[in-house]
Amino acid sequence: MSPVMWEHFDDSTCRSVASAVNEAERLGHRSINCFHLLLGIISVDSMVADYLEKMGLDLYNTRLLVEDAFPIEEGSEPESKTFTTSAKRTIARSFEEAKRLGHNSICPAHILLAVLREREDGDRNAARILPNSLDPLNIRLLLKAKSMTPYLRTAFLDDSRLDELRFQVEELRTEMTELRTQVDELRRA
């Protein structure tokens, strides 16, 4: 993984990746995979963890699933830790997701989007333990809204204008969902 990529990580992403490495060590695994990245994100980023819980992911059982899926590897040493090809690809894709949204840094939600992209590409990987109800479009909308919040607060001081903007965002979300349904129907036809 290129050092340039790490420069784009925000603090919570650095902590999430460090947590992923710690999870791999705790479980006695030689390499860090997408499951460890997912556990790292969940343990560090409360926004992502809360969102995943609301979408039906049981965080405690997720940890147990990872532990069961990857038994302890004998002879694992901390200096032998490497990222799997899939984990490297996921991190690279998280950078693409950040750029796609116009963000200069990678946050844990971008890594979640990259994991979900693995699912879209047919590589179930860590995405197989995520609820099917997770929609990358909704996560992108949440990220956009989160990045816009400071600007909205300073640009519009009165709450009535903010309420109007929230309503417009909700209308756009509805329209995008309808468009997605239409696209899905066209793909099936």
Side-chain angles (χ1 to χ4, degrees):
M1 200 162 342
S2 95
V4 175
M5 182 77 62
W6 296 108
E7 292 174 8
H8 293 284
F9 282 13
D10 69 8
D11 289 341
S12 61
T13 305
C14 290
R15 288 192 313 275
S16 294
V17 172
S19 179
V21 172
N22 290 339
E23 288 290 345
E25 288 176 358
R26 183 182 68 78
L27 294 169
H29 298 157
R30 288 188 183 95
S31 57
I32 298 101
N33 61 39
C34 291
F35 288 96
H36 299 119
L37 289 174
L38 188 58
L39 290 177
I41 291 168
I42 289 169
S43 68
V44 170
D45 191 301
S46 61
M47 181 188 91
V48 170
D50 290 346
Y51 178 73
L52 290 173
E53 256 185 332
K54 285 177 185 161
M55 296 308 293
L57 184 69
D58 182 328
L59 301 181
Y60 178 75
N61 282 336
T62 298
R63 182 172 302 284
L64 295 177
L65 282 170
V66 173
E67 290 175 7
D68 289 344
F70 299 97
I72 293 176
E73 297 173 355
E74 296 300 320
S76 177
E77 298 175 19
E79 57 269 11
S80 66
K81 297 286 180 261
T82 58
F83 286 89
T84 62
T85 303
S86 182
K88 289 177 186 177
R89 183 176 57 241
T90 296
I91 290 172
R93 283 181 166 183
S94 68
F95 183 62
E96 293 169 13
E97 288 291 341
K99 286 193 317 188
R100 180 181 191 179
L101 291 166
H103 298 163
N104 294 324
S105 61
I106 299 168
C107 74
H110 294 126
I111 295 176
L112 175 61
L113 283 169
V115 168
L116 289 171
R117 236 170 96 189
E118 297 286 315
R119 177 170 70 189
E120 290 172 357
D121 291 348
D123 181 1
R124 298 280 300 161
N125 207 353
R128 73 177 181 235
I129 63 173
L130 295 173
N132 287 331
S133 59
L134 280 183
D135 184 357
L137 179 62
N138 285 340
I139 296 168
R140 288 184 188 103
L141 284 170
L142 288 171
L143 279 171
K144 267 299 200 198
K146 182 181 174 191
S147 67
M148 293 291 291
T149 301
Y151 303 111
L152 290 174
R153 283 193 190 124
T154 56
F156 307 103
L157 296 177
D158 69 295
D159 288 338
S160 63
R161 182 70 177 129
L162 280 174
D163 288 340
E164 182 182 327
L165 288 171
R166 284 188 191 111
F167 179 75
Q168 289 174 356
V169 167
E170 193 57 42
E171 283 181 331
L172 284 172
R173 182 178 291 142
T174 303
E175 287 177 31
M176 291 175 85
T177 302
E178 289 171 2
L179 286 172
R180 173 167 269 204
T181 302
Q182 290 173 5
V183 167
D184 288 344
E185 288 173 1
L186 287 172
R187 285 183 181 158
R188 281 181 256 159

